[in-house]
């Protein structure tokens, strides 16, 4: 094979210019690969890189997500070599070993592989993400499982050193399960005890999927290890417990919330991963449309009043609250929050943790906060009449109060407060505005394709007054694990409380009347904001209809 240079291939394909190539070559460090440097600069996407190499050099693109890998082959290439060069052996044909590589033009890596295995190396190209995942799965996790199986006989009791010694297989296995979850951008890890196995599931982009099933007899040692690192009582398995782990994975600080729950087949553990490196959101990057962003900013910039963010659990309400606090945070203001639990620690903000068992409830904590000369108060959630009543009083005495409420829509929050027992005139005079929010999965940028609109979709778009001829969908590729989606975006409805809505609340008007008025005022509800994002090629109608309904 004639040795062509990657830069020349990309210029020849018209993906980058000579100037971009020259600039990248001069700026990149000596040990950085050109492909990685171009990706970092944003000149090309990984999918474009793969397509050029596939087309120009005839190197096949391997979708590792669907590829059946023979575990015997993993023994051929040493772990250290596979990790250093990001390569994965996939099959043998005579004296040829087929390997998936992130950089199939890395001739040094191929030569080293040939020397180590004695086979002629035939490269295929795969995405970096899928290679990392597969290497972790087959080299690290599989290896640790085998070691654990060898170490712990099914009838053996838990050995203290086996779950505390940093080099023991069970400790490595737990670390690798967490590292693998981070590599897949999972928000939660579930350890589900079943009758015959322990199922490990990851929640990626809001959807749960089973990652692997472990033998039942590994359940006790795994759960004991997790309880030790999260400072839970290892001897208590009859009552629910909550803990926390702080750790670094690949130089990224992680904060993990751990919850245990006794179930029929043993304790179920759920680990919520809070990635501290991207914890602080910028309010401009939350996915608000221009008019919604303008309305939201004007709400939070008022000196007093209540702003409510509504939606079910896991709809990104906390992130929006933190972004708003981040925007308001300055030396001149005293911001105090009361949360259950405190998710992200924010610089310069006083955060208080609810502890119901010692009487530190939202209501009691809030009373104490009001004696601390606050300007802005954030309440994690308004759950009861007492908390709501104190929040309303605080807003009427010159404080800005931000909080969340579990309702299905912005308008429903008004009736929910009345149901809680708050006087309608107090709600009318204290509320600044309500934001309804949901999260939908974003179409994967690597396999995004245009398709024509179905009749059902056309009906929805016509009803929402949006003109479209085509929509986008993800075909499914190794970058997104064949789902067609990668990452999430928020859809919103922002309802500023004006004088007319105040009159509606005072007269205890129906939800329908308030909705009709809001619609006439130009307020876009969740479904309309979602469909607008579908028309922009960001998500699909299925996703929007999964989280929002036509009313």
């Amino acid at each position: 094979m004639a040795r062509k240079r990657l830069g020349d291939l990309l210029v020849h394909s018209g993906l980058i210019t000579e100037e971009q190539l020259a600039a990248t070559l001069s700026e990149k460090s000596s040990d950085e690969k050109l492909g990685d440097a171009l990706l970092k600069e944003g000149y090309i996407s990984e999918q474009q890189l793969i397509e050029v190499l596939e087309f120009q050099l005839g190197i096949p693109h391997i979708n590792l997500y669907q590829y059946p890998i023979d575990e015997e082959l993993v023994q051929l290439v040493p772990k250290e070599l596979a990790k250093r060069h990001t390569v994965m052996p996939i099959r043998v044909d005579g004296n040829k070993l087929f390997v998936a590589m992130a950089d199939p033009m890395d001739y040094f890596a191929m030569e080293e592989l040939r020397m180590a295995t004695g086979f002629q190396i035939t490269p295929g190209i795969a995405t970096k993400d899928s290679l990392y995942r597969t290497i972790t799965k087959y080299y690290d996790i599989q290896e640790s499982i085998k070691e654990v199986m060898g170490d712990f006989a099914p009838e053996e009791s838990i050995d203290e050193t086996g779950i505390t010694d940093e080099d023991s297989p069970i400790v490595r296995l737990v670390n690798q399960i967490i590292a693998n979850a981070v590599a897949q951008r999972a928000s939660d890890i579930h350890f589900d005890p079943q009758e015959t196995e322990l199922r490990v599931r990851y929640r990626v982009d809001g959807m749960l999927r089973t990652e692997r099933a472990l033998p039942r007899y590994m359940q006790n040692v795994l759960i004991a290890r997790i309880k030790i690192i999260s400072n839970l009582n290892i001897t208590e398995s009859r009552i629910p417990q909550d803990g926390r782990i702080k750790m670094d994975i690949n130089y990224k600080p992680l904060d993990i919330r751990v919850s245990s729950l006794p179930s029929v087949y043993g304790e179920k553990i759920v680990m919520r991963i809070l990635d501290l490196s991207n914890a602080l959101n910028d309010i401009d990057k939350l996915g608000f449309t221009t008019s919604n962003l303008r309305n939201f900013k004007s709400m939070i910039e008022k000196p007093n009043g209540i702003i409510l963010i509504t939606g079910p659990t896991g709809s990104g309400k906390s992130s929006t609250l933190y972004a708003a606090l981040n925007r308001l945070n300055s030396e001149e203001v005293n911001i105090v929050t009361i949360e259950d639990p405190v998710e992200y620690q924010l610089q310069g903000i006083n955060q208080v943790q609810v502890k119901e068992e010692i009487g530190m409830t939202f209501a009691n904590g809030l009373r104490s906060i009001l004696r601390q000369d606050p300007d802005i108060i954030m309440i994690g959630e308004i759950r009861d009449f007492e908390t709501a009543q104190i929040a309303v009083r605080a807003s009427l005495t010159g404080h800005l109060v931000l909080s969340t409420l579990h309702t299905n829509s912005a308008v429903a929050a008004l009736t929910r407060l009345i149901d809680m027992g708050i006087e309608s005139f107090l709600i009318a005079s204290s509320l600044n505005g309500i934001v309804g929010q949901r999260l939908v999965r974003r179409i994967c940028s690597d396999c995004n394709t245009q398709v024509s609109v179905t009749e059902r979709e056309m009906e929805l778009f016509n009803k929402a007054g949006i003109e479209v001829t085509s929509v986008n969908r993800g075909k499914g590729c190794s970058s997104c694990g064949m789902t067609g989606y990668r990452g999430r975006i928020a859809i919103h409805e922002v309802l500023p409380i004006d004088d007319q809505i105040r009159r509606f609340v005072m007269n205890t008007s129906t939800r329908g009347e308030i909705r009709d008025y809001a619609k006439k005022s130009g307020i876009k509800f969740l479904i309309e904001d979602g469909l607008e994002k579908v028309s922009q090629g960001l998500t699909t109608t299925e996703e929007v209809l999964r989280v929002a309904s036509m009313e």
Side-chain angles (χ1 to χ4, degrees):
M1 189 199 300
R3 296 200 173 182
K4 295 181 183 177
R5 291 190 311 186
L6 177 62
D8 298 337
L9 286 177
L10 291 168
V11 171
H12 180 69
S13 308
L15 286 174
I16 59 170
T17 62
E18 292 277 7
E19 292 75 31
Q20 287 172 330
L21 175 61
T24 309
L25 284 168
S26 65
E27 284 168 22
K28 79 177 186 72
S29 57
S30 55
D31 57 348
E32 190 178 21
K33 290 184 175 166
L34 176 62
D36 291 343
L38 288 165
L39 287 172
K40 197 166 78 183
E41 291 293 335
Y43 292 142
I44 53 168
S45 72
E46 195 165 17
Q47 201 60 29
Q48 287 174 320
L49 184 61
I50 286 172
E51 281 167 9
V52 165
L53 293 173
E54 193 174 13
F55 178 71
Q56 298 279 355
L57 304 179
I59 296 171
H61 172 208
I62 294 156
N63 189 343
L64 284 176
Y65 200 83
Q66 294 177 311
Y67 207 94
I69 288 171
D70 180 355
E71 286 184 31
E72 297 300 311
L73 273 185
V74 175
Q75 315 301 321
L76 278 177
V77 176
K79 176 165 138 183
E80 185 273 329
L81 199 61
K83 286 191 154 184
R84 184 153 46 89
H85 292 304
T86 325
V87 297
M88 186 72 204
I90 50 173
R91 65 187 170 91
V92 167
D93 185 1
N95 71 334
K96 284 183 183 170
L97 173 65
F98 289 85
V99 293
M101 307 174 73
D103 180 5
M105 299 176 79
D106 187 342
Y107 300 106
F108 294 112
M110 278 152 66
E111 187 57 26
E112 204 173 330
L113 282 169
R114 189 185 67 76
M115 303 279 283
T117 60
F119 286 90
Q120 290 299 319
I121 305 299
T122 305
I125 186 167
T127 61
K128 259 202 165 126
D129 261 6
S130 64
L131 277 163
Y132 285 140
R133 271 208 296 264
T134 314
I135 291 167
T136 305
K137 184 175 177 178
Y138 286 96
Y139 278 98
D140 292 336
I141 295 181
Q142 214 59 37
E143 193 178 275
S144 297
I145 289 171
K146 282 177 183 158
E147 283 182 37
V148 174
M149 286 175 162
D151 273 18
F152 297 97
E155 64 282 350
E156 262 185 39
S157 61
I158 300 171
D159 170 23
E160 186 66 32
T161 57
I163 50 177
T164 53
D165 176 13
E166 287 302 312
D167 286 330
S168 81
I170 199 77
V171 170
R172 285 210 307 275
L173 177 58
V174 169
N175 290 350
Q176 279 148 12
I177 287 172
I178 296 170
N180 197 26
V182 172
Q184 295 195 35
R185 299 168 300 103
S187 60
D188 302 81
I189 310 170
H190 289 236
F191 294 87
D192 290 337
Q194 306 291 312
E195 191 172 4
T196 56
E197 62 191 19
L198 175 69
R199 203 172 288 161
V200 181
R201 298 194 291 169
Y202 291 163
R203 186 180 292 281
V204 180
D205 294 337
M207 296 294 191
L208 268 175
R209 61 167 182 245
T210 301
E211 180 62 19
R212 58 180 53 246
L214 299 171
R216 175 74 200 263
Y217 64 80
M218 285 169 66
Q219 182 177 314
N220 288 348
V221 279
L222 256 175
I223 286 169
R225 172 60 191 164
I226 293 166
K227 286 171 93 172
I228 277 181
I229 53 176
S230 35
N231 291 320
L232 299 181
N233 182 350
I234 192 169
T235 58
E236 181 57 82
S237 58
R238 298 160 302 164
I239 57 169
Q241 296 185 66
D242 291 306
R244 220 170 176 129
I245 306 167
K246 271 195 161 64
M247 66 195 306
D248 283 349
I249 296 278
N250 298 334
Y251 310 108
K252 270 168 77 173
L254 289 183
D255 195 351
I256 301 172
R257 261 186 15 226
V258 181
S259 165
S260 78
L261 182 75
S263 73
V264 179
Y265 297 117
E267 284 179 280
K268 172 180 165 71
I269 300 266
V270 176
M271 304 171 88
R272 160 67 57 93
I273 301 168
L274 303 167
D275 184 349
L276 299 178
S277 59
N278 60 13
L280 279 186
N281 272 319
D282 180 349
I283 208 166
D284 299 314
K285 293 178 184 162
L286 291 176
F288 281 108
T289 58
T290 317
S291 61
N292 279 348
L293 183 60
R294 190 175 56 247
N295 285 338
F296 185 53
K297 278 182 179 170
S298 73
M299 280 179 203
I300 64 171
E301 280 159 8
K302 286 183 179 166
N304 60 300
I306 299 180
I307 293 115
L308 291 176
I309 298 177
T310 73
T313 308
S315 56
K317 298 189 297 294
S318 299
S319 299
T320 305
L321 273 184
Y322 283 132
L325 286 182
N326 202 31
R327 176 64 168 242
L328 298 167
N329 191 8
S330 72
E331 209 179 296
E332 296 81 46
V333 290
N334 176 21
I335 302 178
V336 190
T337 78
I338 178 155
E339 303 168 64
D340 181 23
V342 172
E343 289 195 0
Y344 296 115
Q345 273 123 34
L346 304 176
Q347 191 76 33
I349 289 176
N350 312 289
Q351 292 170 279
V352 179
Q353 168 80 51
V354 167
K355 284 195 177 76
E356 302 228 341
E357 64 274 14
I358 57 165
M360 180 62 158
T361 60
F362 274 116
N364 289 342
L366 203 43
R367 280 194 194 94
S368 307
I369 286 170
L370 288 168
R371 294 193 285 275
Q372 289 277 317
D373 181 32
D375 297 295
I376 298 165
I377 302 167
M378 191 269 261
I379 308 165
E381 186 190 336
I382 293 178
R383 294 179 184 168
D384 51 42
F385 166 70
E386 207 179 353
T387 312
Q389 192 181 36
I390 302 166
V392 167
R393 280 195 196 139
S395 73
L396 293 172
T397 52
H399 302 91
L400 185 67
V401 179
L402 289 89
S403 188
T404 68
L405 202 61
H406 283 263
T407 61
N408 287 332
S409 70
V411 175
L414 294 166
T415 46
R416 177 73 203 282
L417 288 170
I418 292 169
D419 292 344
M420 275 184 177
I422 304 294
E423 298 283 358
S424 54
F425 71 88
L426 288 175
I427 296 168
S429 50
S430 61
L431 266 181
N432 286 354
I434 308 166
V435 178
Q437 179 169 316
R438 298 288 188 282
L439 290 178
V440 290
R441 290 184 291 169
R442 185 193 281 272
I443 298 171
C444 169
S445 55
D446 284 345
C447 58
N448 193 341
T449 49
Q450 274 200 345
V451 292
S452 51
V453 187
T454 63
E455 273 182 43
R456 170 82 178 115
E457 282 176 323
M458 191 54 92
E459 269 176 50
L460 289 171
F461 283 118
N462 288 341
K463 205 170 173 186
I466 300 169
E467 281 184 40
V468 285
T469 49
S470 64
V471 289
N472 293 45
R473 269 190 177 52
K475 286 187 297 190
C477 64
S478 50
S479 296
C480 58
M482 299 312 293
T483 58
Y485 299 100
R486 187 176 162 86
R488 288 191 288 178
I489 51 167
I491 59 172
H492 304 94
E493 54 187 28
V494 178
L495 182 69
I497 306 296
D498 62 14
D499 290 341
Q500 181 57 50
I501 292 179
R502 287 196 172 92
R503 278 194 284 275
F504 278 134
V505 174
M506 298 274 281
N507 301 333
T508 56
S509 300
T510 64
R511 203 183 293 183
E513 286 176 297
I514 301 173
R515 269 189 76 88
D516 291 344
Y517 168 73
K519 204 174 182 66
K520 283 189 194 116
S521 310
I523 301 297
K524 282 195 165 64
F525 294 114
L526 282 171
I527 191 95
E528 290 149 349
D529 192 45
L531 290 173
E532 205 168 290
K533 281 169 181 156
V534 173
S535 70
Q536 290 163 5
L538 298 171
T539 186
T540 61
T541 21
E542 290 84 355
E543 274 299 291
V544 173
L545 293 173
R546 183 174 63 80
V547 299
S549 59
M550 293 296 282
E551 283 195 33

